[in-house]
Amino acid sequence: MNRPHGDSALGRDDARRPRRLRADGVRSLVSETSLSPSDLIAPVFVDATTTERQPIESMPGHERVPLSNAVTRVEEVLATGVEAVMLFGIPEWKDERGSRAYAEDGVIQKAVRRVKRETDAYVITDVCLCEYTEHGHCGLVEHTAGEDPPVAARSSEEPGLTVRNDESLDLLAKVAVSHAEAGADMVAPSASLDGMVGAIRQGLDDERFDQVPIMSYAAKYESAFYGPFRDATDGAPSFGNRRHYQMNPANAREARREAELDVTEGADVLMVKPALPYLDIVADVRREHDHPVAAYNVSGEYAMLHAAAEKGWLNLEAVAHESLVSIKRAGADLILTYFAEDVAGSL
Ligand code: PBG
């Protein structure tokens, strides 16, 4: 119906004025999404190779802290109102099997014990091998004894070499059990291997850790946004890449299947990673499952906002807050983010 210009194009009853609810007094009353410090998990890097705090250049404000500083570092997080941390370790040395990942006196095991003893933090641990293997892959790698990895493996095109799936599962279960023994409240397997969640659930249950939940990196993409993290943990693969176990960024339906499998295997929380470029996946997992959904706002997402802010092109506090609200709006209940402390502090 054509109305004469200037007449009540909005309708006589003025029913269609969404702006009414944007006035200052009412905006927050009708806000659909809220963000609170208790939604956030702060990643913390504990480094066994250093005795001093080492700034991570590509992640401004973040550091690798020595074991002696793990408790202090976690206390800093707690002081902002954030209640949970995700611990990542940089071991004193790396080997082919990632044996420092499941050592009783490994960096994470020691850190967890101290943090659990001295703070009230909820402690989650990343369960993977890539920070602990000298080749930097997330499981055992196939190659002939005594030789360098086959040339084919070094090519990013050639699938010649990959992580040995089933042989790596026992190790991942061992890692998870060693974390639980140290007192971890929750484990978060991130190796992207088939059957990983089931193997870890079984391993934990066999050792009577049936109360330790698993937050599975259910939809974990082979993403270029992990760059700064790999600098931080010195965890980039020394050859090849991770596209044979991490998901293809082009795939969304596959994420449903991955999440479904993890649920069947016993995952308690389903994580999507990265977050901002994958909000459709967060929304999908939210719709398809009634499990809590976590999203990992990864190192590259953090670094790019910092870089732009440093140039004066973006307001850091505003874009950080907007990013986290958007991740929640898409359906995440929990967010792992390097912005946790800053955003919590400003809430
Ligand atoms: C691997 C792991 C990675 C991240 C968390 N756990 C790196 C990878 O998968 O390559 C990346 C997190 C980030 O970029 O912030 N165990």
Side-chain angles (χ1 to χ4, degrees), residues 30-343:
V30 298
S31 164
E32 299 173 32
T33 309
S34 63
L35 190 61
S36 110
S38 62
D39 303 326
L40 306 177
I41 301 166
V44 164
F45 298 96
V46 187
D47 186 345
T49 69
T50 180
T51 52
E52 265 160 43
R53 288 182 169 226
Q54 307 285 347
I56 303 168
E57 208 184 325
S58 50
M59 298 169 68
H62 282 272
E63 297 167 323
R64 305 190 297 203
V65 304
L67 204 49
S68 59
N69 270 233
V71 168
T72 321
R73 176 74 194 95
V74 171
E75 282 169 345
E76 290 165 9
V77 171
L78 297 176
T80 67
V82 173
E83 296 159 12
V85 292
M86 170 83 116
L87 296 186
F88 291 98
I90 292 96
E92 44 283 83
W93 74 83
K94 307 188 186 215
D95 60 24
E96 205 171 333
R97 295 175 61 81
S99 62
R100 298 307 293 165
Y102 48 86
E104 206 198 322
D105 62 347
V107 60
I108 283 297
Q109 291 77 0
K110 284 184 178 165
V112 170
R113 275 189 214 103
R114 292 187 186 192
V115 170
K116 284 309 297 177
R117 194 171 54 229
E118 291 179 43
T119 78
D120 291 328
Y122 189 80
V123 174
I124 309 171
T125 56
D126 183 79
V127 174
C128 197
L129 295 179
C130 63
E131 293 131 58
Y132 302 87
T133 51
E134 53 197 10
H135 45 69
H137 281 285
C138 303
L140 294 172
V141 154
E142 186 144 25
H143 68 85
T144 37
E147 284 176 28
D148 281 342
V151 174
R154 300 190 192 120
S155 151
S156 57
E157 301 301 317
E158 182 55 55
L161 175 145
T162 191
V163 164
R164 290 161 60 172
N165 195 87
D166 297 11
E167 293 86 336
S168 304
L169 297 181
D170 281 353
L171 284 186
L172 290 172
K174 269 174 91 158
V175 176
V177 167
S178 74
H179 291 177
E181 272 166 354
D185 294 300
M186 179 187 268
V187 294
S190 67
S192 294
L193 300 188
D194 294 339
M196 165 184 89
V197 173
I200 289 173
R201 184 71 272 158
Q202 183 75 53
L204 289 171
D205 291 355
D206 287 350
E207 299 296 326
R208 297 192 311 281
F209 293 118
D210 50 277
Q211 288 303 307
V212 174
I214 298 177
M215 173 159 67
S216 138
Y217 287 67
K220 176 169 178 182
Y221 286 89
E222 202 248 349
S223 170
F225 286 99
Y226 306 150
F229 175 94
R230 291 180 186 174
D231 297 342
T233 60
D234 189 20
S238 60
F239 55 86
N241 54 50
R242 293 188 177 145
R243 72 165 66 160
H244 307 301
Y245 43 108
Q246 299 182 347
M247 286 177 57
N248 181 348
N251 292 357
R253 295 190 301 267
E254 190 187 346
R256 291 190 196 163
R257 198 155 65 233
E258 278 283 4
E260 186 59 46
L261 283 170
D262 284 3
V263 165
T264 329
E265 291 175 31
D268 300 283
V269 180
L270 299 170
M271 191 209 294
V272 174
K273 176 183 167 203
L276 291 177
Y278 296 85
L279 292 184
D280 56 327
I281 311 299
V282 173
D284 254 15
V285 175
R286 167 75 296 142
R287 211 168 24 244
E288 305 269 324
H289 298 279
D290 55 13
H291 292 62
V293 175
Y296 199 142
N297 178 227
V298 302
S299 57
E301 299 175 60
Y302 177 82
M304 66 184 175
L305 297 192
H306 264 276
E310 239 169 64
K311 284 185 171 288
W313 293 347
L314 288 174
N315 172 334
L316 187 61
E317 197 184 328
V319 288
H321 184 267
E322 184 178 333
S323 298
L324 302 193
V325 166
S326 298
I327 294 167
K328 281 209 75 185
R329 191 196 61 238
D333 303 295
L334 335 168
I335 308 175
L336 290 114
T337 177
Y338 304 97
F339 288 117
E341 293 160 87
D342 293 341
V343 170

